[in-house]
Structure formats: C-alpha cells, structure tokens
C-alpha cells in the first residue's frame, strides 16, 4: 500500500488524539477549578474538529481500500485504523457529555466534594489509557496494549465506588448533582471501554488476532 | 495448516529441474483437498507453472527435465502411471484459450475421448457435449452452432470451451495455469464464477498472478518463492495474517 496514504492516516489519527487529550485537560480543569463559558466553547469547538477528522480519516481509508486492495498486515492496519477513528470520535462525544453534566453540579455540595477525588482519579486513568492505547497502536507496542486492557478493571472498580458513595451520601436533596455525578462516572467508564477497544485494535494489528469477544481475555493476555 | 479428511492429492518432496542441480521446484510437500480451489501464487519464475505441469506430466515432452519425488492422486503415484491416464485424471487449461482450430465446438468437447481412443455412442456423445457445455455456461450460447469451429467465439467463450473439454473426461482434478490473464474483466468474472460452481464437482488448482483473484475464489493458497513452497494455508488466514515474513512481504507488495 502507498506509504504516503499510511502517513496521512496516522497523522490525522495523531491530530485527533491530541484534540481528545486536550478535551481531557479542559475537563480536568473544570472539575478541579470552575466552569466558564470559554472552557465550554473550547470543548464544543474541539468536538467539531474531532468529528471533521473522523470524516476525513474514513474517507482516506475508503479510498485506500478501493485503490490498493490491502492485504495481510496492510489490511489489518487499515481495518484497525477505521475502528480506532470511531472509538476516538466516541471518546470525544463522551467527554462532551461529561462537560454538559458538570454544569449541573453544585460545587459546594458535600456529595461533589466527597466524590471529586474519585472522579479525578478516574479521569486521569482514562486519559492515560487513551494515550497509551494510541501509542501502542502507532508504535506496535504489544505489552502496552495488554496492560491498557487490564487497566479497565480499575475503571470499573472506581465506577462502583462512586456509585456506592452516591447511594450513601447525606446530600439527598442534591438530586441534580447526584444524578450528574453518576452520569459522569458512567461516561468515564464508557471512555475506558473505548480505550480498551483501541488497545484490542492494536493487538489485531500486531498479532492478527481479534480478542474483542474473548471470554477469558485476561488469562489470554497474561499467556502471550 | 489443518488438513481435512478429503485429501485428493499429495505432493511429497516434489522437485523439478531443467538442468542438473538447478531446481525450478524444490522439495514441495503438500496435501491438496477435494472440492476445493487451491491457488498457487508467487513472483515470476518461482516455479508455479512448473509445479502444475509436473502434475499433468507435461514435462515428459522435454528430455532434459527431471521430476523427482511423489505425486499421489487418489492413491495413484502419477509419476509411475501412463501419462495419458494421468492427463485424463488431471485436466489442464492454459493461459491462452486454445480450442483445436480444425475441430468443431462439439468435437473440441469430445477431443479427450478421441485422443484416448475412447468410443462413445451417439447418445452418450450428445449427453457429454450438452452436460459439459451446460456446466461451463456455454450451452445456450452455442447449442445451434455445435458444428462450427470454435474460432468465432470470444476469448472468454473459447476459454470456457477449453474448460468444457477438460471436464468432459470427468477428471479428478482441474489444473488451470493463469486461465484469465488473457481475458477482459467481464470474461474473467464469468470464469471465476464458473470455477466457484465447478469446485462442487472437482478439486481445482489455479496458478495466478492476480492476488485479488486468489483471494476471491480460492479456499487454500500456496505461496512459492525461488522454487520452494514458503507457505500453504487457508486463504483467508494467509491474506489477513500470513505466518511467513516472505509471504507478508509479497502480499503487501514489498517484493515480487
């Protein structure tokens, strides 16, 4: 397959990833400090860029398939890049959702102050997972892809911890905040799933095996 | 490669040399399956056609060519059989359509019987002609012209006539050496559809330079390089995740 085509696709995925990581930074800033209109505007304008990149990458990939009939590792790469583009776009959507839920939270409420450390921890973890998953794909780093997949367990645990914390809160009248925090945690958990999907796509490129629906994924990864 | 029970032909340490000590095919060992299409791929000069012709005993025509090893077709060692018997069991179709120019369409279909001295009654002959031409999708196109020479047919039709000639003898295996490389895309597509139908009746081995064709129609693929069999596997597996680095390089266009 044409090397320039690969380079263009990789560059666009790289650019999309940078914008997604920028979204993480803004969300982090909003959670720890405050919301303002500029930050919300920036999130929305980044989301438009992510969507545009997704369309461009898909177009490039479709053209490559028509022109070059990729085979073997070229075929795996192009299929994986197609999937990864979709996952990155979904992560962008989920981060936008998170920003829309954050505006409904009472920052002065106990329920928010109690769950904030867990939310920050979860946010940092999913940001790292996303970064590592893309790195594993571009650099064909098998062990990084494996470890990223296994990190998803911690995301699931944090989601449960946040949920339990919300159930036990004494701020029962802060329903908007409680529901918003729960939704934020759920969206973060979905981001973790998509980062896992990206890592699984990396494994498909490197090893030619689709482990998405393996039942004993963890023991499979440990044995590789 | 996981081998099913329906092995129709076994190659064992098959080697072909045109000159003493220089091998065009070297130590090829493989089991080929019945009712399957096996594609043989590789860069020019890798031994694909030489391998195919060894099965059909075409190399008998040249005294300098030496074939060693075993080719077992339905438990018969092809290299120890009468070549004419081998060519009844292994029908061959070549790159350029070659209907016999002096024979009619009907006679072309029956050529194998005539050349082997096999007599058939009129009704048997008519049945063989109709069935063979129907199997290759030519019957409706030529049923009113059976006594005409095949030269008026298009390239694609001539090639289908050649396939009809090969299958008329009810071979065990059909060998095709780049059967569509001289044809236009539409004719090629018709031949490919035909082969997908015929594999229900015969084992088919096809040499092809067209990797997309191999991917489209074959169940198993062989990759050859410098006379050696580098990889032999399920086509889908080979085209998505080849085991050998040379196969990977060939399929991604990095050599050959």
């Amino acid at each position: 397959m044409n090397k320039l085509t690969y380079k263009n696709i990789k560059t666009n995925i790289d650019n999309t990833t940078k914008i997604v990581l920028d979204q993480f930074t803004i969300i982090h800033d909003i959670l720890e400090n405050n919301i303002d209109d500029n930050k919300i505007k920036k999130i929305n304008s980044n989301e438009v860029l992510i969507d545009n990149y997704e369309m461009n990458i898909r177009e490039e990939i479709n053209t490559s398939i028509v022109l070059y009939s990729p085979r073997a590792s070229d075929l795996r790469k192009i299929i994986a890049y197609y999937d990864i583009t979709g996952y990155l776009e979904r992560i962008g959507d989920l981060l936008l959702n998170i920003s829309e839920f954050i505006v409904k939270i009472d920052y002065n409420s106990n329920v928010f102050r109690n769950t904030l450390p867990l939310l920050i921890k979860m946010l940092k973890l999913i940001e790292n997972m996303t970064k590592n998953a893309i790195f594993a794909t571009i650099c064909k780093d098998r062990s990084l892809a494996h470890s990223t997949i296994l990190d998803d367990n911690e995301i699931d645990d944090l989601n449960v911890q946040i949920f339990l914390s919300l159930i036990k809160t004494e701020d029962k009248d802060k329903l908007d905040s409680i529901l918003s925090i729960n939704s934020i945690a759920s969206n973060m958990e979905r981001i973790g799933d998509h980062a896992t999907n990206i890592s699984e796509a990396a494994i498909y490129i490197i090893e030619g095996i689709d482990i998405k629906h393996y039942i004993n994924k963890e023991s499979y990864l440990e044995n590789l | 490669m996981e081998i099913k029970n329906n092995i129709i032909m076994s190659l064992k340490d098959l080697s072909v040399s045109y000159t003493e000590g220089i091998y065009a095919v070297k130590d090829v060992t493989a089991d080929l399956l019945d009712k399957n299409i096996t594609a043989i791929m590789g860069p020019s000069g890798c031994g694909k056609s030489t391998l195919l012709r060894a099965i059909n005993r075409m190399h008998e025509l040249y005294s300098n060519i030496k074939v060693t090893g075993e080719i077992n077709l339905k438990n018969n060692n092809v290299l120890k059989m009468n070549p004419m018997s081998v060519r009844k069991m292994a029908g061959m179709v070549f790159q350029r359509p070659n209907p016999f120019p002096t024979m009619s369409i009907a006679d072309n279909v029956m050529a194998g019987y005539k050349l082997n001295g096999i007599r058939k009654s009129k009704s048997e002959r008519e049945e063989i002609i109709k069935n063979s031409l129907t199997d290759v999708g030519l019957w409706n196109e030529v049923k009113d012209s059976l006594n005409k020479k095949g030269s008026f047919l298009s390239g694609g039709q001539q090639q289908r006539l050649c396939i009809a000639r090969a299958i008329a003898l009810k071979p065990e295996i059909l060998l095709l050496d780049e059967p569509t490389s001289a044809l236009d895309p539409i004719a090629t597509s018709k031949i490919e559809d035909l082969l997908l139908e015929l594999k229900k009746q015969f084992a088919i081995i096809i040499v092809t330079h067209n990797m997309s064709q191999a991917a489209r129609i074959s169940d198993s693929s062989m990759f050859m390089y410098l006379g050696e069999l580098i990889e032999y596997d399920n086509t889908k597996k080979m085209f998505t995740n080849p085991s050998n680095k040379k196969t990977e390089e060939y399929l991604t266009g990095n050599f050959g």
Side-chain angles (χ1 to χ4, degrees):
Chain A
M1 221 173 91
N2 184 287
K3 299 270 185 274
L4 183 59
T5 306
Y6 268 139
K7 198 176 165 203
N8 287 343
I9 294 170
K10 272 192 204 174
T11 301
N12 283 336
I13 289 178
D14 205 32
N15 290 339
T16 312
T17 306
K18 282 177 187 159
I19 299 172
V20 166
L21 292 176
D22 190 32
Q23 298 285 65
F24 276 111
T25 304
I26 301 172
I27 297 285
H28 194 139
D29 183 18
I30 292 173
L31 276 175
E32 290 229 294
N33 301 310
N34 64 323
I35 304 164
D36 66 52
D37 283 344
N38 287 334
K39 291 172 191 171
I40 298 299
K41 266 186 197 163
K42 182 69 180 163
I43 286 180
N44 282 294
S45 63
N46 275 346
E47 175 61 13
V48 170
L49 290 175
I50 291 169
D51 289 346
N52 286 340
Y53 268 120
E54 192 214 4
M55 286 192 305
N56 288 340
I57 294 168
R58 288 201 192 281
E59 184 66 37
E60 190 100 40
I61 288 172
N62 288 340
T63 305
S64 302
I65 291 171
V66 167
L67 290 180
Y68 303 115
S69 300
R71 294 172 209 96
S73 61
D74 285 350
L75 175 66
R76 299 199 307 275
K77 266 183 234 174
I78 218 77
I79 288 173
Y81 289 159
Y82 198 87
D83 286 344
I84 286 166
T85 301
Y87 298 139
L88 278 174
E89 192 272 336
R90 284 300 296 137
I91 290 173
D93 287 344
L94 292 163
L95 288 166
L96 180 66
N97 291 347
I98 288 170
S99 71
E100 288 167 359
F101 284 118
I102 290 176
V103 299
K104 296 177 186 176
I105 294 175
D106 178 357
Y107 273 54
N108 295 318
S109 64
N110 285 326
V111 67
F112 179 63
R113 280 202 281 258
N114 290 341
T115 51
L116 181 60
L118 290 172
L119 288 171
I120 295 293
K121 188 175 179 185
M122 209 171 167
L123 183 67
K124 278 187 182 161
L125 194 47
I126 56 175
E127 182 183 0
N128 273 342
M129 281 179 73
T130 304
K131 212 185 314 185
N132 289 343
I134 294 294
F135 192 82
T137 305
I138 301 297
C139 300
K140 294 189 193 166
D141 189 330
R142 182 187 275 111
S143 59
L144 189 57
H146 293 177
S147 62
T148 305
I149 292 169
L150 296 173
D151 282 344
D152 198 38
N153 294 330
E154 197 178 343
I155 300 292
D156 294 341
D157 287 343
L158 285 166
N159 191 26
V160 169
Q161 284 179 50
I162 290 170
F163 180 72
L164 291 174
S165 176
L166 292 173
I167 289 175
K168 291 174 189 166
T169 185
E170 288 173 0
D171 269 0
K172 300 282 188 239
D173 57 331
K174 298 286 181 187
L175 201 54
D176 264 355
S177 295
I178 292 169
L179 292 172
S180 296
I181 293 167
N182 186 49
S183 295
I184 288 168
S186 294
N187 276 270
M188 286 191 189
E189 191 270 334
R190 288 297 296 135
I191 291 174
D193 289 344
H194 287 310
T196 300
N197 291 339
I198 293 172
S199 296
E200 286 166 355
I203 289 175
Y204 183 62
I205 291 174
I206 300 163
E207 289 159 10
I209 302 163
D210 185 354
I211 64 165
K212 193 191 284 292
H213 299 297
Y214 271 37
I215 293 170
N216 292 319
K217 209 181 287 187
E218 285 180 24
S219 61
Y220 175 82
L221 290 172
E222 276 155 19
N223 287 332
L224 275 174
Chain B
M1 174 179 158
E2 188 192 328
I3 301 294
K4 298 176 195 168
N5 289 332
N6 56 336
I7 295 168
I8 189 159
M9 187 165 72
S10 292
L11 309 175
K12 199 175 170 199
D13 299 322
L14 181 68
S15 296
V16 182
S17 60
Y18 288 90
T19 316
E20 184 76 35
I22 299 174
Y23 292 92
V25 170
K26 195 173 176 192
D27 296 328
V28 171
T29 296
D31 290 328
L32 286 99
L33 304 178
D34 197 8
K35 313 274 194 299
N36 254 240
I37 298 177
T38 302
I40 307 180
M41 305 181 292
S44 296
C46 71
K48 309 185 292 293
S49 295
T50 305
L51 173 61
L52 208 70
R53 287 162 191 246
I55 297 169
N56 191 254
R57 301 277 296 270
M58 295 285 291
H59 298 306
E60 311 282 315
L61 302 170
Y62 307 97
S63 57
N64 58 310
I65 298 178
K66 197 173 166 193
V67 181
T68 56
E70 286 177 33
I71 303 174
N72 292 312
L73 180 56
K74 282 209 143 182
N75 298 319
N76 299 301
N77 186 347
V78 154
L79 297 176
K80 293 194 162 88
M81 287 170 65
N82 180 311
M84 294 302 283
S85 303
V86 172
R87 289 169 199 146
K88 271 196 291 182
M89 293 176 79
M92 187 126 177
V93 176
F94 298 92
Q95 182 177 346
R96 291 213 167 273
N98 59 353
F100 298 127
T102 58
M103 288 184 180
S104 66
I105 290 172
D107 287 342
N108 259 286
V109 175
M110 294 303 294
Y113 288 92
K114 186 174 179 181
L115 292 167
N116 280 282
I118 303 169
R119 286 182 168 275
K120 291 286 175 189
S121 67
K122 186 174 178 220
S123 59
E124 282 173 329
R125 180 186 146 92
E126 282 172 0
E127 190 184 346
I128 290 169
I129 292 169
K130 185 176 180 186
N131 288 344
S132 300
L133 289 172
T134 301
D135 282 348
V136 302
L138 258 185
W139 174 250
N140 286 335
E141 295 168 43
V142 303
K143 63 183 182 205
D144 298 324
S145 315
L146 292 176
N147 294 325
K148 285 188 183 173
K149 303 270 191 294
S151 49
F152 81 94
L153 300 173
S154 70
Q157 288 174 318
Q158 287 188 25
Q159 194 66 303
R160 280 188 277 155
L161 176 58
C162 292
I163 296 173
R165 183 176 64 196
I167 66 174
L169 279 166
K170 296 278 179 245
E172 299 295 338
I173 197 164
L174 204 54
L175 309 172
L176 301 113
D177 193 351
E178 298 192 50
T180 62
S181 59
L183 304 178
D184 62 76
I186 292 174
T188 295
S189 175
K190 285 186 178 170
I191 297 287
E192 288 179 6
D193 289 343
L194 170 58
L195 294 178
L196 288 169
E197 268 306 305
L198 288 177
K199 82 164 187 182
K200 294 175 190 172
Q201 298 180 59
F202 310 103
I204 295 174
I205 306 178
I206 176 170
V207 165
T208 181
H209 262 128
N210 186 333
M211 282 191 271
S212 297
Q213 181 175 78
R216 277 194 298 272
I217 68 171
S218 71
D219 302 291
S220 318
S221 289
M222 289 183 172
F223 171 60
M224 290 187 70
Y225 181 60
L226 296 178
E228 292 183 26
L229 178 59
I230 304 297
E231 191 168 342
Y232 172 38
D233 210 333
N234 172 279
T235 294
K236 192 175 159 189
K237 158 62 172 77
M238 195 186 282
F239 274 74
T240 53
N241 193 15
S243 303
N244 191 291
K245 192 166 184 291
K246 283 202 186 80
T247 315
E248 164 80 28
E249 285 170 2
Y250 180 70
L251 290 173
T252 54
N254 286 326
F255 85 87

